[in-house]
Amino acid sequence: MGELTVGGRPRRFALSLPRTGSSGGIPLVIVLHGNDPDATGQMMRDWTTFDEQAGAFGFAVAYPDGIGGCWADGRGVTTADEAGVDDVAFLRALIDTVAGRHGTYPDRAVVAGVSNGAFMAHRMAIEVGEMVAVFGAVAGGLPASMRDARPAHAVSAMLIHGTAESRRL
């Protein structure tokens, strides 16, 4: 488990690295959990096959923990938003730290999230598009507070919505 201090708050994340090194940079995927008091990056690690895919295809995966099991995604409705948590700064620091320590690309991260994590992925794409090349959002849209924001860089997106969000998120 890795740890960073951002805005005076200790922040944790799990990291999975590819089995073999790369002659160039390594892609980084950041996987964001949904809003749940018990949610952690470990939960997403358990639910997905990203670790296996990382090993097979040569990319790194970070599973950060939100404060209180949620992200300050810009909607103003989460406990992290209410507490003034700066998750954009945390995820920026995570991208920079992993790039410095493990050779991932500092300007081509992939940010994927579900539910509250999906809202946060949208926010990252808009606010730090210079670091995010692609974002994926499952069951979470663009926060209404950001609908008039214009990103400084083009960011590719994959959006998945359905009619029955998981009851566990």
Side-chain angles (χ1 to χ4, degrees):
M1 186 65 68
E3 189 170 302
L4 297 171
T5 299
V6 178
R9 298 175 192 270
R11 304 298 301 266
R12 295 172 27 130
F13 63 93
L15 183 65
S16 178
L17 297 168
R19 290 186 286 270
T20 59
S22 171
S23 59
I26 302 167
L28 172 64
V29 176
I30 299 173
V31 182
L32 305 175
H33 58 71
N35 186 353
D36 183 311
D38 298 321
T40 65
Q42 184 62 46
M43 177 181 71
M44 293 304 288
R45 192 174 207 173
D46 294 342
W47 282 6
T48 70
T49 62
F50 278 101
D51 286 348
E52 294 168 33
Q53 304 306 317
F57 294 102
F59 59 88
V61 186
Y63 303 90
D65 291 345
I67 297 290
C70 65
W71 301 104
D73 61 23
R75 293 178 294 159
V77 299
T78 67
T79 56
D81 271 321
E82 292 169 1
V85 174
D86 190 346
D87 279 322
V88 172
F90 167 50
L91 296 174
R92 285 180 70 100
L94 177 62
I95 292 168
D96 286 338
T97 298
V98 176
R101 291 180 187 165
H102 303 288
T104 57
Y105 296 113
D107 60 348
R108 289 188 253 167
V110 175
V111 180
V114 63
S115 188
N116 171 226
F119 283 97
M120 189 68 212
H122 278 273
R123 184 173 186 187
M124 287 295 292
I126 288 176
E127 292 191 17
V128 290
E130 72 278 6
M131 298 178 94
V132 177
V134 178
F135 80 98
V138 178
L142 176 68
S145 64
M146 301 187 81
R147 79 173 149 238
D148 293 328
R150 298 292 177 250
H153 294 82
V155 178
S156 296
M158 182 174 84
L159 310 175
I160 301 171
H161 296 281
T163 58
E165 184 177 348
S166 171
R167 303 288 180 228
R168 300 191 308 179
L169 299 176

